Amino acid sequence: MKRVLISVAAAAAAFLAGFVPTFLQKQDVQAQLAQSETLSGHRLLRLQLAQLIVEVEQGRAAHARDLSTGFFDRLRDIAETARPEVAPTLQALLGRRDEITADLVANNSEVSAKLRAMFVDLSQALPEGPAATAAKP
């Protein structure tokens, strides 16, 4: 009976010796994947805003209006899950949706400058690198 218990304990120890490192590695890979997905979303958001600016400056107001819808929808999604220190800035940018949309409809010449200022604010709120995906407190 004693040998059976020792065998079971040895088997359990061997299992745990193999399981724990694999489990920890999986957790690390999942964290890296989440960080990459977040960073990718931030980059896509900046790219959408840059494309919107180009369309406005090229005089393609109709296409710019379509792009602005996608940009503000993605901004809303990111703002909902943003870190607390970034959320107010993203919400402020999101609050400009109606103003920007109205400017695009009216073909207001000031809209390009407004979008450029938004790009600067967005880039400061969502930086590249590790700061962009720091763990939530």
Side-chain angles (χ1 to χ4, degrees):
M1 181 68 174
K2 199 174 192 183
R3 286 185 181 173
V4 171
L5 288 176
I6 292 173
S7 296
V8 169
F15 171 76
L16 288 176
F19 175 77
V20 171
T22 303
F23 177 77
L24 294 175
Q25 183 181 20
K26 178 185 170 207
Q27 296 292 12
D28 185 46
V29 168
Q30 286 177 329
Q32 289 175 7
L33 177 61
Q35 182 179 16
S36 295
E37 288 173 346
T38 299
L39 214 52
S40 175
H42 294 176
R43 287 178 178 148
L44 182 57
L45 187 65
R46 277 192 297 277
L47 180 62
Q48 284 180 303
L49 183 52
Q51 186 177 11
L52 177 57
I53 292 167
V54 168
E55 293 299 317
V56 166
E57 291 180 353
Q58 294 293 321
R60 295 189 286 260
H63 192 234
R65 284 190 300 270
D66 294 339
L67 290 174
S68 75
T69 299
F71 166 75
F72 282 109
D73 287 348
R74 181 173 302 280
L75 177 59
R76 181 193 61 234
D77 293 342
I78 290 174
E80 289 174 354
T81 60
R83 297 183 325 272
E85 66 273 12
V86 172
T89 301
L90 299 182
Q91 289 297 333
L93 292 172
L94 191 56
R96 299 190 69 187
R97 181 179 197 149
D98 292 341
E99 170 194 356
I100 297 297
T101 301
D103 285 345
L104 290 171
V105 169
N107 208 13
N108 183 345
S109 61
E110 304 280 317
V111 73
S112 179
K114 291 177 183 180
L115 291 171
R116 286 178 176 276
M118 286 179 64
F119 188 87
V120 170
D121 292 343
L122 182 65
S123 295
Q124 290 172 347
L126 301 175
E128 294 286 331
T133 57
K136 295 180 182 178

